[in-house]
Amino acid sequence: MIAMSDIYDRVTELARRRGFIWPSSEIYGSVAGFIDYGPLGALMKRRIEDIWRDFYVIREGYYEIECPTVGVEPIYVASGHVKGFSDKMCQCLRCGEYLRADHAAAGAGVANAGVMPADELACVLRTVPCPSCGEELGDVKVFAFNLMFETSIGPGSQRKGYLRPETAQGIFTDFTRLLRFYRDRLPFGTVQVGKSYRNEISPRQGMIRLREFTQAEAEIFVHPDRKDHPRFDRYASYRVPLLGIEQQQSESAPVEVAMDEAVEKGIIANQYVAYYVALTHDLLVRIGVDGKRLRFRQHMPDERAHYATDCWDAEVLSGRFGWVELVGIADRTDYDLQAHSKASGTALTVFLPLETPRRERRRRIIPDMKALGPRFRGNAKAVADALSASEPGPDGARVTVNGETHLIPPSLYQVREEEVEVRGEEVMPHVIEPSYGIDRMCYAVLEHAYAEEMVEGEVRRVLRFPPPVAPVQAAVFPLVNRDGLDGRAGEIHRDLIGAGILAEYDDSGAIGRRYRRQDEVGTPFAITVDYTTMEDGTVTLRDRDTMAQVRVKREVLILLLRNLIKGTTAFSTLSP
RNA sequence: GCGAUAGUAGUCUAGUGGCAGGACAGAGGCUUCCCAAGCCUUUAGCCCGGGUUCGAAUCCCGGCUAUCGCACCA
């Protein structure tokens, strides 16, 4: 067993040396919060993303879209990121410490510091002591630090843009197009996998907190009153370790609960959230996260965003970082669609027809524009709108426009009682959002896959990736480089590549060294050509985890390897 | 961002002012009938920029990065 405090160092050292993860732009000096994926890291990340797509795009049927990483300012004004993502800060002139301006003021007993504009804060702070050095702050500048990267679009016009802080907004801004694509029905979902950016003040923790990172997000649009998942039975009896609000308050351990029970008992708000909690558990275990070091923690009421009704984080136990959030699953209600609808003036609703249209009596007020126009001039339209929405009395209707109340006599409008057919209703969907941090998942898989064991007095280092995640899928070796063994091994290597299997060929040094080299990068299977191969056409197939070997006929090798790599066949079921 | 500590080959490391050394890894070769064996050859390094000095990996200043603490983490 490896000491937990060491594992981060060992994993990152291996990842650096063998081409998984590198510091970015090293020759010019790296920048914190940015990493490069080397050849094997990029492959592994791609495989994890593709497994994610198997779950969400193929199985759930939520098609993937791709939006720009640069977005115009109004998107992020509407989403709340311009306001909510920025902190008012100031720098102490004496000690140079950067401070949250509102925190400093509040700490000195200033009321409403959190909602105070910058110039007022600066004023208040004059006499406030610096929490760091104790000196009065005096004439400090208060400036907004926004966690979004800013940019400008095009020359001259200087239209302001931001690098997206999450992929979700692109899906919301495409809502009407998507609704049409999905033929005006609920529920439907859309996913996006891509880069997002947050200009963290001080990123640490390697791959855990990055300034540029990859997200995989699904936005599932559901009827606000129908949060039962149509395929809930798939995960109804699936058991997941849950650390609910109750367990956190009593500081007790997570409890294993089946999803149907969790919804019935009200631990999880609805079937949709529960379904994606279970699906996420399924997915994370599939890519190589250790199920014993995985839990789902519910956000405490004061922790979750004000619009979310329920939120669960998939957390994974890291030797270095403790419990780390990999995935957030939230019911975002209609917060985003409301915000974008309001800001853009576009209706972001779904027209849902009733099964049987119902007839309704309605009273309609029809303003006489010919008379209203000359009388109210510029305000005529507003008055007419207010009139239509009013409840007229016998003496007329009272309407308030621009703070003025007018009495409109009955001669200026008609009241018509009519029976209308109501064919359906406009509904603003709620959004269920599972949001995955791909880079953190990659790190968690690396850390959980890393193992050291003693073999004949030597340390063997292995990355025990599940075969579908392993960057290199197979290796081919000649036992020795003579008597035609190397030529035969070369043929087999070409066969594998021709079959779409990513295989490496290695004939250097001793066979044991080659096995170890592949163990270290997690290659699950090795094929060795020996003298028996030359006699009867069989090869040795060696398993990374157990180092066990079986003899396999060359004709079935490719089919067998495909099944082993997919995970549909286990090596342990093969006879030696 | 502040404070402390550190930065020498791909990796780990020795080197307190005087020719930068080793181990492992890598490459080429020999050897080798299944798990980092052995032998020969070989590639490769003082984080960046200034300063002090006859002379700096070493001392000083600044920057960058990493680790820890603080702050930050919608």
Side-chain angles (χ1 to χ4, degrees), chain A residues 135-406:
Chain A
E135 200 70 12
E136 271 188 15
L137 285 167
D139 194 18
V140 289
K141 281 199 186 72
V142 174
F143 56 92
F145 181 81
N146 194 287
L147 251 22
M148 286 191 293
F149 285 96
E150 255 179 62
T151 187
S152 58
I153 303 168
S157 77
Q158 293 295 309
R159 199 166 177 199
K160 201 169 180 181
Y162 292 102
L163 294 189
R164 64 183 179 195
E166 59 176 14
T167 59
Q169 298 304 324
I171 296 175
F172 299 139
T173 54
D174 277 347
F175 176 79
T176 52
R177 294 269 181 203
L178 288 166
L179 178 61
R180 199 169 180 79
F181 173 85
Y182 283 105
R183 308 216 320 270
D184 298 291
R185 281 182 290 202
L186 288 181
F188 69 87
T190 300
V191 308
Q192 190 163 190
V193 180
K195 296 280 195 167
S196 292
Y197 302 81
R198 293 177 196 182
N199 200 1
E200 300 284 355
I201 296 169
S202 170
R204 297 252 187 111
Q205 307 165 312
M207 296 172 72
I208 302 295
R209 229 168 114 216
L210 294 170
R211 287 181 166 133
E212 172 173 325
F213 55 101
T214 301
Q215 282 187 308
E217 293 191 301
E219 309 299 327
I220 302 142
F221 298 94
V222 305
H223 192 289
D225 304 328
R226 293 171 213 161
K227 292 188 178 174
D228 285 351
H229 196 290
R231 294 179 302 279
F232 187 67
D233 55 332
R234 175 178 283 156
Y235 284 123
S237 58
Y238 194 99
R239 298 175 75 81
V240 175
L242 298 180
L243 190 70
I245 291 172
E246 199 186 312
Q247 285 78 39
Q248 289 172 71
Q249 279 167 345
S250 61
E251 292 183 18
S252 49
V255 285
E256 288 246 344
V257 186
M259 291 300 96
D260 49 4
E261 190 190 338
V263 174
E264 270 161 40
K265 288 190 175 167
I267 304 171
I268 299 181
N270 57 59
Q271 283 192 1
Y272 262 102
V273 174
Y275 182 93
Y276 291 104
V277 163
L279 183 146
T280 298
H281 186 279
D282 189 4
L283 190 157
L284 290 177
V285 169
R286 197 80 64 90
I287 63 168
V289 168
D290 177 6
K292 289 191 283 297
R293 288 180 267 175
L294 174 61
R295 71 181 188 192
F296 285 75
R297 191 181 67 81
Q298 188 171 30
H299 278 206
M300 301 299 285
D302 60 347
E303 181 183 1
R304 63 189 178 218
H306 62 278
Y307 50 81
T309 54
D310 195 13
C311 188
W312 291 80
D313 285 347
E315 294 185 332
V316 90
L317 186 60
S318 155
R320 167 66 67 99
F321 303 115
W323 289 99
V324 174
E325 175 196 348
L326 299 188
V327 184
I329 299 157
D331 182 340
R332 292 177 74 131
T333 69
D334 59 2
Y335 174 84
D336 304 275
L337 290 180
Q338 287 283 10
H340 284 299
S341 179
K342 212 169 157 187
S344 67
T346 307
L348 302 177
T349 51
V350 187
F351 180 81
L352 295 175
L354 294 169
E355 268 179 39
T356 46
R358 63 169 188 268
R359 301 193 72 80
E360 242 173 40
R361 293 193 71 79
R362 266 190 204 164
R363 192 155 70 157
R364 238 174 98 202
I365 296 158
I366 302 161
D368 181 356
M369 291 313 287
K370 262 190 196 145
L372 289 173
R375 190 151 157 193
F376 291 102
R377 296 180 178 272
N379 284 336
K381 175 85 173 79
V383 170
D385 287 346
L387 186 58
S388 300
S390 68
E391 291 283 341
D395 58 338
R398 262 167 242 281
V399 299
T400 305
V401 171
N402 295 335
E404 266 185 83
T405 303
H406 309 278

